Amino acid sequence: MNIIILLLVTIFSYLSFLYGRSRIRKITSTQSIKINALPNYYGYYLALWCALPALIILLFWSIFEPAIIKYLISQTLIQNDLNYSSEQLNLLYQKIRSLYEGNFSGTLTEEIKIGVKNYENLQTIAQNSKIVLLLSTFIAAISYGIFRISKNNKARHDVEKILTGLLFVCSLVAILTTMGIIFSLLFESLKFFSAINIFDFLFGMNWSPQRAFVSDASAITALEYENLKGAFGSVPLFAGTAFIALIAMLVAVPIGLFSGIYMAEYASSKVRKYSKPIIEILAGIPTVVYGFFAALTVGPFFRELGEKLNLEVSSESALAAGLVMGVMIIPYVSSLSDDVINAVPQSLRDGSYAIGATKSETIKNVVIPAALPGIVGSVLLAVSRAIGETMIVVMAAGLAANLTINPLESTTTITTQIVMLLIGDQEFDSPKTQSAFALGLTLFFATLILNYIALRFVKKYREKYE
Amino acid sequence: MNKEQRLKKRHNAEKRFKLYGLTSILLAIFFVIFLLNAIFSKGSGAFLKTTIDVEVNFDADTLELSESPPLEDLENTDYYELAIDSILKVKKVNGLTEEKLLINLFSPDYEYEIRNFLLDNPKALNQTTVLKLTASDDFDQLHKGNYPRELPEERRRINNFQLNLYDELVNEGKVNKIFNSYLFTKGDSRNPELAGIGGALVGSFFTIVITLLLSFPIAIAASVYLEEFAPKNKITDFIEININNLAAVPSIVFGLLGLGILLGTFHLPRSTPLVAGITLALMTLPRIIIPCRASLKAVPPSIREGALAIGASKVQSVTHHVLPLAIPGTLSGTIIGLAQALGETAPLILIGMVAFVVDIPSIPTDPSASLPVQVYLWSEQAERGFVEKTSATIMVLLSFLITLNFIAVYLRQKFERKW
């Protein structure tokens, strides 16, 4: 349906473009007046009047129609039986929808049948009123457009104004995305925090959401509540995330930094030309590939090595996940620090050489201290990548939330738990699902803060030398 | 310590420092080679499959067909008897148990393979043909040398009887390796030898096309607005900060956004390329806007001033002059952004693309897998054959990414202008 409307809108817009153009030509040829813009602009002007209102109506209609129909259906359901809780209503509505769409499973009750009839009626009404509304807007808009053209308006000016407005709307998508992220995370998290105390979540030492089985979300018993309270302590997840990120940074920072230094200070242009793209391959490999590599090659390798050394190494050790994550992050550290070191003014180096320092002494005592804020910034950006990284830890790190600092044991991370809580079919209104959004919210803010600090460092550094 | 010693020490320190740097670079390059080698050496086997020659006599009577049956009949008749008969003729075996063991040499799809052959060559009816039927996963792995046949019998899924059958068949030259077309044409399956990435390829294709169609125009429009038209005020500052932040938000958060808003609020269909495409478009948008703005910024002001000087409006100067000059530069940034989106897994898992989908999707609202998700799904499987399949999928994925990146580099070099 919507596709047909879109097609019609496109065709009509093109026709109105042609009409607008010929119309203004006719006016100028008969009245011999000077027009205010090229004829094409009158065509564009009319085409915009044809397409824009229709598209806006279509957009809002698609957004609000389901919600309104749901509300109306729920009202009729409530009229029949006042005792429905909102969850039951939701469930009933879902059933009605799935029956309407033809993939219903379960027992058919009389109520659902009536509901579907209602739903069908409402759909037809909505369909018809949408078409009427679109048609009347189209007629009104196009007549206004034609009226304006015959007045010989400033078509180019108007078209450009609308175009600029559209560009502005497109740039708002970034804000809308951020708002969408915050709202979707916050909305579910607030529901979660209404069931579980936020302090229990942030400072609890025990994470075992599988215990959080609630038979009926609206009536939680005292025992269930106690269980819930103790099930969502996320400290082990924070610790695990930080621990794996730390291992990753222990790999990535030395290797990345030294590569960056070598690339910027020592390497001949030929070495640079070939080695830089090769290292950057590491950044282009999808993380799921690293995860597969970690789970299949690195993890078992460490376990076998441990067996030889009489050490107990979990096959999902934090070490394997951290190591592979570190390899993934090397290029971020190396290319950023390469850029940062290159930006240090040559005069500083020359000064150091002039008083007899060797190259390495210059680097250690002059270049690195000068580039430090930039390096810190790039390392922080790398940390934020490490804690947000998902696939490596999902595939190679463990699932059980151990509070440990032994790299040979398995730990779990925030991202792993989000995936595990949301994988497969999940019921939407359970604390288990909502806790994933709460974890997402913490992750979002943690990376946001890290990025903010990192960018401040980098910015300050830039200001110093530019 | 005298002067010479001190100098020597300092020069040694210099050498050591340089060595650290060199070692780091070599280490990083070693990781690249090691990683790619580990994947490629495991995955190359999956492009071949093991087949066993079986003589099939397409007798019209056994198939309960008339002499020149319509295609429908060919499709609907029962091939099971014929398949079992033909397989049992491969080797002489006694008793039901041995028969079953012999049949287990073949992949469970033998019936359909025989049917499909006849459907493709209806003339083969009433003739005897040698077909290459797919071997089951264990024998496929055995033939490729990945199966530990030294293990004691009770720890193997292949028993000694089957091993003997296999060896005899090999000696008769009936076991062959041919190109594995299933890998590219079939959807997912529980049997490794029948599983393919056809569905994932189509799913990834739909996803990436939707991502491109949504993100590229919006990114160009947003960059043009911010670079050319935006007044310097709080709103545009806020937009800029937002874009920079979004570029660094972990991808899994976009998955939560897709789950909460696209599936939760708008009730778009789960597990579909449509939702995946929209989610990835939102994720890719800031990553494209940043290089787009850089390439717009690189167009010198003299171009704009020239246009304005001969009476063009601001919009005309942008659409007629600045944008055409900047577009080639924006293309390479867009392609790199798309390559990242193509390899993205976590958000797709959250919007339910991990469902077990056998059918190959035909429209973007069909449930489907995508290449990286297929890697994840198969990596969780225990069967030996899936390890090979996973690596092969990675090879296909990487070859797409490499191609995209080469195109980006080529475009950049071709259209790079020094003003």
PDB file of all heavy atoms in Angstrom, chain A residues 423-434:
ATOM      1  N   ILE A 423      19.685 -12.693  23.445  1.00  0.00           N
ATOM      2  CA  ILE A 423      19.745 -13.602  22.295  1.00  0.00           C
ATOM      3  C   ILE A 423      18.511 -14.505  22.314  1.00  0.00           C
ATOM      4  O   ILE A 423      17.982 -14.837  23.356  1.00  0.00           O
ATOM      5  CB  ILE A 423      21.052 -14.420  22.321  1.00  0.00           C
ATOM      6  CG1 ILE A 423      21.428 -14.846  20.916  1.00  0.00           C
ATOM      7  CG2 ILE A 423      20.932 -15.624  23.222  1.00  0.00           C
ATOM      8  CD1 ILE A 423      22.857 -15.295  20.812  1.00  0.00           C
ATOM      9  N   GLY A 424      18.057 -14.829  21.152  1.00  0.00           N
ATOM     10  CA  GLY A 424      16.886 -15.714  21.059  1.00  0.00           C
ATOM     11  C   GLY A 424      15.606 -14.982  21.402  1.00  0.00           C
ATOM     12  O   GLY A 424      15.551 -13.753  21.408  1.00  0.00           O
ATOM     13  N   ASP A 425      14.569 -15.738  21.692  1.00  0.00           N
ATOM     14  CA  ASP A 425      13.275 -15.112  22.003  1.00  0.00           C
ATOM     15  C   ASP A 425      13.292 -14.626  23.434  1.00  0.00           C
ATOM     16  O   ASP A 425      13.695 -15.330  24.337  1.00  0.00           O
ATOM     17  CB  ASP A 425      12.161 -16.135  21.828  1.00  0.00           C
ATOM     18  CG  ASP A 425      12.004 -16.506  20.375  1.00  0.00           C
ATOM     19  OD1 ASP A 425      12.068 -15.579  19.548  1.00  0.00           O
ATOM     20  OD2 ASP A 425      11.857 -17.697  20.073  1.00  0.00           O
ATOM     21  N   GLN A 426      12.852 -13.397  23.597  1.00  0.00           N
ATOM     22  CA  GLN A 426      12.790 -12.924  24.970  1.00  0.00           C
ATOM     23  C   GLN A 426      11.448 -12.231  25.215  1.00  0.00           C
ATOM     24  O   GLN A 426      10.875 -11.634  24.314  1.00  0.00           O
ATOM     25  CB  GLN A 426      13.970 -12.016  25.303  1.00  0.00           C
ATOM     26  CG  GLN A 426      13.983 -10.623  24.748  1.00  0.00           C
ATOM     27  CD  GLN A 426      14.348 -10.513  23.305  1.00  0.00           C
ATOM     28  OE1 GLN A 426      13.651  -9.881  22.550  1.00  0.00           O
ATOM     29  NE2 GLN A 426      15.433 -11.109  22.839  1.00  0.00           N
ATOM     30  N   GLU A 427      10.930 -12.377  26.415  1.00  0.00           N
ATOM     31  CA  GLU A 427       9.705 -11.668  26.750  1.00  0.00           C
ATOM     32  C   GLU A 427      10.116 -10.249  27.116  1.00  0.00           C
ATOM     33  O   GLU A 427      11.137 -10.042  27.767  1.00  0.00           O
ATOM     34  CB  GLU A 427       8.944 -12.389  27.868  1.00  0.00           C
ATOM     35  CG  GLU A 427       9.626 -12.462  29.197  1.00  0.00           C
ATOM     36  CD  GLU A 427      10.664 -13.586  29.323  1.00  0.00           C
ATOM     37  OE1 GLU A 427      11.518 -13.772  28.435  1.00  0.00           O
ATOM     38  OE2 GLU A 427      10.634 -14.230  30.357  1.00  0.00           O
ATOM     39  N   PHE A 428       9.331  -9.272  26.642  1.00  0.00           N
ATOM     40  CA  PHE A 428       9.817  -7.912  26.739  1.00  0.00           C
ATOM     41  C   PHE A 428       9.769  -7.355  28.152  1.00  0.00           C
ATOM     42  O   PHE A 428      10.623  -6.592  28.552  1.00  0.00           O
ATOM     43  CB  PHE A 428       9.036  -6.988  25.790  1.00  0.00           C
ATOM     44  CG  PHE A 428       9.963  -6.217  24.916  1.00  0.00           C
ATOM     45  CD1 PHE A 428      10.366  -6.708  23.691  1.00  0.00           C
ATOM     46  CD2 PHE A 428      10.507  -5.027  25.368  1.00  0.00           C
ATOM     47  CE1 PHE A 428      11.258  -6.015  22.913  1.00  0.00           C
ATOM     48  CE2 PHE A 428      11.399  -4.325  24.592  1.00  0.00           C
ATOM     49  CZ  PHE A 428      11.770  -4.827  23.359  1.00  0.00           C
ATOM     50  N   ASP A 429       8.763  -7.764  28.918  1.00  0.00           N
ATOM     51  CA  ASP A 429       8.590  -7.082  30.194  1.00  0.00           C
ATOM     52  C   ASP A 429       9.180  -7.823  31.380  1.00  0.00           C
ATOM     53  O   ASP A 429       8.619  -7.812  32.458  1.00  0.00           O
ATOM     54  CB  ASP A 429       7.097  -6.814  30.426  1.00  0.00           C
ATOM     55  CG  ASP A 429       6.672  -5.568  29.684  1.00  0.00           C
ATOM     56  OD1 ASP A 429       7.532  -4.668  29.559  1.00  0.00           O
ATOM     57  OD2 ASP A 429       5.535  -5.502  29.211  1.00  0.00           O
ATOM     58  N   SER A 430      10.311  -8.492  31.183  1.00  0.00           N
ATOM     59  CA  SER A 430      10.891  -9.155  32.344  1.00  0.00           C
ATOM     60  C   SER A 430      12.140  -8.405  32.772  1.00  0.00           C
ATOM     61  O   SER A 430      12.812  -7.780  31.955  1.00  0.00           O
ATOM     62  CB  SER A 430      11.243 -10.602  32.010  1.00  0.00           C
ATOM     63  OG  SER A 430      12.528 -10.657  31.454  1.00  0.00           O
ATOM     64  N   PRO A 431      12.450  -8.449  34.059  1.00  0.00           N
ATOM     65  CA  PRO A 431      13.649  -7.737  34.539  1.00  0.00           C
ATOM     66  C   PRO A 431      14.905  -8.212  33.833  1.00  0.00           C
ATOM     67  O   PRO A 431      15.854  -7.443  33.668  1.00  0.00           O
ATOM     68  CB  PRO A 431      13.702  -8.105  36.028  1.00  0.00           C
ATOM     69  CG  PRO A 431      12.378  -8.643  36.372  1.00  0.00           C
ATOM     70  CD  PRO A 431      11.727  -9.132  35.124  1.00  0.00           C
ATOM     71  N   LYS A 432      14.906  -9.455  33.391  1.00  0.00           N
ATOM     72  CA  LYS A 432      16.080  -9.987  32.713  1.00  0.00           C
ATOM     73  C   LYS A 432      16.379  -9.187  31.445  1.00  0.00           C
ATOM     74  O   LYS A 432      17.502  -8.768  31.196  1.00  0.00           O
ATOM     75  CB  LYS A 432      15.806 -11.450  32.339  1.00  0.00           C
ATOM     76  CG  LYS A 432      16.821 -12.416  32.868  1.00  0.00           C
ATOM     77  CD  LYS A 432      16.318 -13.824  32.698  1.00  0.00           C
ATOM     78  CE  LYS A 432      17.064 -14.527  31.603  1.00  0.00           C
ATOM     79  NZ  LYS A 432      16.701 -15.949  31.526  1.00  0.00           N
ATOM     80  N   THR A 433      15.334  -8.988  30.638  1.00  0.00           N
ATOM     81  CA  THR A 433      15.507  -8.230  29.403  1.00  0.00           C
ATOM     82  C   THR A 433      15.866  -6.790  29.712  1.00  0.00           C
ATOM     83  O   THR A 433      16.756  -6.207  29.105  1.00  0.00           O
ATOM     84  CB  THR A 433      14.218  -8.262  28.581  1.00  0.00           C
ATOM     85  OG1 THR A 433      13.714  -9.580  28.597  1.00  0.00           O
ATOM     86  CG2 THR A 433      14.451  -7.819  27.172  1.00  0.00           C
ATOM     87  N   GLN A 434      15.140  -6.233  30.686  1.00  0.00           N
ATOM     88  CA  GLN A 434      15.372  -4.822  30.999  1.00  0.00           C
ATOM     89  C   GLN A 434      16.769  -4.600  31.540  1.00  0.00           C
ATOM     90  O   GLN A 434      17.378  -3.553  31.303  1.00  0.00           O
ATOM     91  CB  GLN A 434      14.333  -4.350  32.009  1.00  0.00           C
ATOM     92  CG  GLN A 434      12.951  -4.239  31.394  1.00  0.00           C
ATOM     93  CD  GLN A 434      11.854  -4.343  32.425  1.00  0.00           C
ATOM     94  OE1 GLN A 434      12.128  -4.506  33.604  1.00  0.00           O
ATOM     95  NE2 GLN A 434      10.617  -4.252  31.974  1.00  0.00           N
TER      96      GLN A 434
END
